[in-house]
Amino acid sequence: MTRRNKFLASIVFATLISGTMAPVAFAADAAAKPDAVAYREAIMNTLDVQVAALGQILSGATPDDQVVSHLEAIAETASQALKSFEAKVEGGEALPVVWQKWDDFSARMKDFQVKTRTAADTAKAQGKDAALANILDALRCKDCHDIYRKKQ
Ligand code: HEC
């Protein structure tokens, strides 16, 4: 693949996974928002950046020797995500249904946490190929966004 195609492939991967395309403006964006919204968005953006980095590896744009640590970063961040939504502060891109259907939302977030942790542990124990084989099942970002996040 050419350099440009590799770049595009990694963007396509990231878009496919999260349903987000535009790069995110971190600090400037966070400044005008309530703290609770800025905090959960910082966590979501961390996920986005780590998934994009993994996408660059999967597209062959960059060597694959850091797959384990990217999966670790994703699993760690996933474990922080639920807490960041506990404060019932509407706004940002979160739909009110997050708190109206909290049982379902939190079950999905916990499932996401468990699956990303399993992917990281599998990568460590059995190698990156074993973990990457099921990675799309762990990164079900879009399933949740389709219900709980405002459409772009
Ligand atoms: C269980 C639900 C759920 C899962 C799983 C989930 N998200 Fe989100 N995500 C949300 C919600 C809700 C918002 C809106 C938050 C807000 O703006 O207040 C959001 C927002 C975002 C945003 C926008 C942040 C901003 O600055 O506006 C990005 C980027 C994002 N998610 C990426 C990801 C990625 C990548 C994954 C998977 C690796 C993921 N999300 C998994 C629920 C989820």
Side-chain angles (χ1 to χ4, degrees), residues 83-130:
K83 191 102 205 154
S84 76
F85 283 93
E86 280 179 4
K88 186 178 178 289
V89 181
E90 290 183 13
E93 294 178 7
L95 292 170
V97 72
V98 166
W99 298 279
Q100 289 158 6
K101 290 193 182 173
W102 180 255
D103 286 352
D104 178 71
F105 181 81
S106 54
R108 282 170 189 270
M109 205 57 108
K110 283 176 191 156
D111 183 60
F112 173 58
Q113 183 180 337
V114 167
K115 283 185 172 158
T116 51
R117 170 46 55 206
T118 303
D121 289 349
T122 303
K124 258 187 288 189
Q126 299 169 37
K128 58 185 182 319
D129 292 341

Side-chain angles (χ1 to χ4, degrees), residues 21-79:
M21 198 161 78
V24 231
F26 291 96
D29 190 40
K33 292 185 177 158
D35 291 348
V37 176
Y39 179 61
R40 68 191 181 223
E41 290 186 347
I43 288 175
M44 284 292 154
N45 286 320
T46 305
L47 286 171
D48 212 45
V49 173
Q50 286 295 327
V51 167
L54 198 58
Q56 287 177 310
I57 292 174
L58 293 178
S59 74
T62 195
D64 66 356
D65 40 37
Q66 303 210 95
V67 166
V68 173
S69 61
H70 286 298
L71 289 173
E72 272 297 329
I74 292 168
E76 278 299 302
T77 311
S79 78

